[in-house]
Amino acid sequence: MHPNLVVFDHPLIQHKVAYLRDRATSHRPFRALLYQIAGLMVYEVTRGFPTEAVEIDTPLERVTARQIGAKITVVPVLRAGLCMAEGILEMMPEARVGHLGLSRDEKTLKPVVYMRKLPRDLSAGPVVLVDPMLATGGSAGQALSILKESGAKDLRMICLVAAPEGVEHLGRTHPDVRVYTAALDRQLDERGFIRPGLGDAGDRMYGTV
Ligand code: PRP
């Protein structure tokens, strides 16, 4: 498997993932749930972020407090990463946002890069890659390679549902990157869909099913 995999077993997250899996959940609650789950996950994902001392004047006296000093970058993979990124930004509004457009070819299952817009100084702080679906791992693997080539040094990935195949792929290709997922599912099917999964997150988020 992956030496750096974290699967969330928190009841609140599991409760919300169950709603996401339900085929009766329409795009509006689906987006809200993705947003909420990402906001909950980010609490753990950011645990190791570096902080620095800052001097603050309270109404009563001066105190030395701690704040995150490094420049954080959140990178959603389009389209499906967008809602989770918004949930993360709710918690970290100072973060910059880079965008990677990757589309999985339905026949070859290989990712095709169609958009790439990243801050220049990715090495200036932690970088969080966001994509709800980790299926073959091709898209995430390529996204992580692009981020490393672009200078990212401190990388982690947040997904929602992962297949063992994708986790293994990232374990081989990017063992240094910690992967956080809300669920580790059974397998990929012959079409490359995660089973039991929740369908195609991008389509379900935007009502393009
Ligand atoms: C889905 C998903 C991931 C990718 C996962 O995107 O959001 O980016 O496939 O598959 P992989 O691990 O096998 O690479 P899709 O290509 O359906 O694009 P979309 O988000 O625009 O729907």
Side-chain angles (χ1 to χ4, degrees), residues 77-80 102-104 109 131 133-139 200 202-203:
V77 174
L78 309 181
R79 292 171 299 171
L102 290 174
S103 182
R104 195 172 71 156
L109 299 185
D131 189 339
M133 313 300 289
L134 181 60
T136 63
S139 303
D200 183 308
D203 283 335

Side-chain angles (χ1 to χ4, degrees), residues 83-149:
C83 274
M84 289 186 86
E86 286 299 323
I88 293 168
L89 290 171
E90 175 77 18
M91 295 297 138
M92 301 190 303
E94 297 92 350
R96 296 103 49 97
V97 182
H99 291 89
L100 283 178
L102 290 174
S103 182
R104 195 172 71 156
D105 184 287
E106 283 180 16
K107 289 208 180 70
T108 64
L109 299 185
K110 298 281 179 232
V112 179
V113 182
Y114 63 86
M115 220 273 267
R116 171 183 177 150
K117 194 83 187 163
L118 301 167
R120 287 216 178 87
D121 54 345
L122 276 184
S123 59
V127 178
V128 183
L129 178 69
V130 189
D131 189 339
M133 313 300 289
L134 181 60
T136 63
S139 303
Q142 177 138 13
L144 290 169
S145 295
I146 291 172
L147 293 173
K148 285 178 179 175
E149 284 159 25

Side-chain angles (χ1 to χ4, degrees), residues 58-72:
T58 77
L60 300 174
E61 63 179 280
R62 177 154 273 228
V63 67
T64 305
R66 299 206 70 82
Q67 287 195 315
I68 297 172
K71 288 183 179 171
I72 301 166

Side-chain angles (χ1 to χ4, degrees), residues 7-196:
V7 182
F8 281 80
D9 58 359
H10 195 286
L12 203 48
I13 292 177
Q14 294 306 311
H15 181 78
K16 290 178 190 293
V17 170
Y19 282 122
L20 282 178
R21 290 194 193 275
D22 188 342
R23 65 188 301 169
T25 300
S26 69
H27 53 276
R28 188 172 168 186
F30 194 91
R31 283 200 298 271
L33 286 158
L34 271 180
Y35 179 96
Q36 292 165 8
I37 291 170
L40 292 168
M41 289 174 78
V42 80
Y43 181 73
E44 185 60 32
V45 173
T46 55
R47 182 177 290 279
F49 278 15
T51 58
E52 60 187 30
V54 288
E55 296 294 310
I56 302 277
D57 290 316
T58 77
L60 300 174
E61 63 179 280
R62 177 154 273 228
V63 67
T64 305
R66 299 206 70 82
Q67 287 195 315
I68 297 172
K71 288 183 179 171
I72 301 166
T73 308
V74 177
V75 182
V77 174
L78 309 181
R79 292 171 299 171
L82 288 171
C83 274
M84 289 186 86
E86 286 299 323
I88 293 168
L89 290 171
E90 175 77 18
M91 295 297 138
M92 301 190 303
E94 297 92 350
R96 296 103 49 97
V97 182
H99 291 89
L100 283 178
L102 290 174
S103 182
R104 195 172 71 156
D105 184 287
E106 283 180 16
K107 289 208 180 70
T108 64
L109 299 185
K110 298 281 179 232
V112 179
V113 182
Y114 63 86
M115 220 273 267
R116 171 183 177 150
K117 194 83 187 163
L118 301 167
R120 287 216 178 87
D121 54 345
L122 276 184
S123 59
V127 178
V128 183
L129 178 69
V130 189
D131 189 339
M133 313 300 289
L134 181 60
T136 63
S139 303
Q142 177 138 13
L144 290 169
S145 295
I146 291 172
L147 293 173
K148 285 178 179 175
E149 284 159 25
S150 306
K153 301 263 180 300
D154 179 8
L155 262 168
R156 58 213 81 197
M157 177 184 184
I158 301 187
C159 62
L160 181 81
V161 181
E165 293 86 342
V167 171
E168 270 168 35
H169 178 77
L170 290 190
R172 274 198 316 278
T173 53
H174 297 283
D176 54 310
V177 178
R178 184 162 288 177
V179 178
Y180 297 84
T181 185
L184 180 59
D185 277 13
R186 190 181 66 242
Q187 65 180 122
L188 282 187
D189 69 12
E190 63 291 347
R191 289 185 304 157
F193 275 70
I194 302 172
R195 295 294 188 100

